[in-house]
Amino acid sequence: MSDTATLSGNYRIEVSGWGLNDAFFVEKTDLHWTEGGERKLMLHHALPEGAIIFARLIAPETSHGSVPVAYQVESVQPMNSSGLCEMRLLRLQPRSKAHIWDQIASPSAKYSSKGAEPKESSIQTELEEVLHEA
């Protein structure tokens, strides 16, 4: 049995993000996770396709909140007669720190005089951190 099959079901979650009106929202709803791994939810807030939201599992058996997970909104359906929009979610994967070096806009004191090349010692430290997180 695959991991997605064991996770299928409905989960109570808290969703936060920015709606179409550029206002921040927090809403509680159910996440519907299919056996195929597809994740859908219904919100009272309209969101554009491609929006980034954060979903946090609401676990009644624990007093501590869970860590929010980033998702990208896909396949937004028009609002139904109950005022709910159905949308599909795609989980976002964090980028490794190794990719950050390619996207630095301007060099700082952390870089050598050769331009945007990081110092060797800082690269080694960053790589060690990435390996420990994996």
Side-chain angles (χ1 to χ4, degrees):
M1 189 179 271
S2 72
D3 288 341
T4 55
T6 60
L7 296 174
S8 64
N10 294 334
Y11 298 91
R12 192 74 180 150
I13 61 171
E14 181 180 77
V15 177
S16 60
W18 284 264
L20 280 175
N21 60 355
D22 290 331
F24 184 77
F25 72 92
V26 178
E27 184 175 333
K28 291 180 179 163
T29 188
D30 291 320
L31 175 70
H32 306 285
W33 195 322
T34 68
E35 288 186 25
E38 187 175 64
R39 298 169 190 121
K40 290 184 178 182
L41 56 77
M42 308 232 356
L43 291 177
H44 287 99
H45 292 84
L47 304 175
E49 288 197 27
I52 306 299
I53 60 169
F54 295 91
R56 183 180 67 81
L57 183 63
I58 300 172
E61 62 276 353
T62 63
S63 60
H64 306 313
S66 64
V67 176
V69 177
Y71 287 94
Q72 185 169 11
V73 174
E74 294 188 331
S75 303
V76 178
Q77 301 300 313
M79 198 164 278
N80 66 19
S81 60
S82 301
L84 293 167
C85 286
E86 181 179 317
M87 57 202 75
R88 190 174 52 152
L89 302 179
L90 175 65
R91 182 164 179 189
L92 295 176
Q93 300 299 322
R95 289 184 274 175
S96 71
K97 292 181 182 181
H99 293 118
I100 294 173
W101 297 118
D102 296 336
Q103 299 174 5
I104 294 178
S106 63
S108 68
K110 292 179 7 179
Y111 299 97
S112 68
S113 61
K114 294 193 299 184
E117 292 296 317
K119 292 180 182 177
E120 188 174 325
S121 62
S122 65
I123 290 176
Q124 184 64 29
T125 303
E126 293 289 326
L127 290 175
E128 288 174 5
E129 290 176 13
V130 169
L131 292 174
H132 285 97
E133 291 175 8

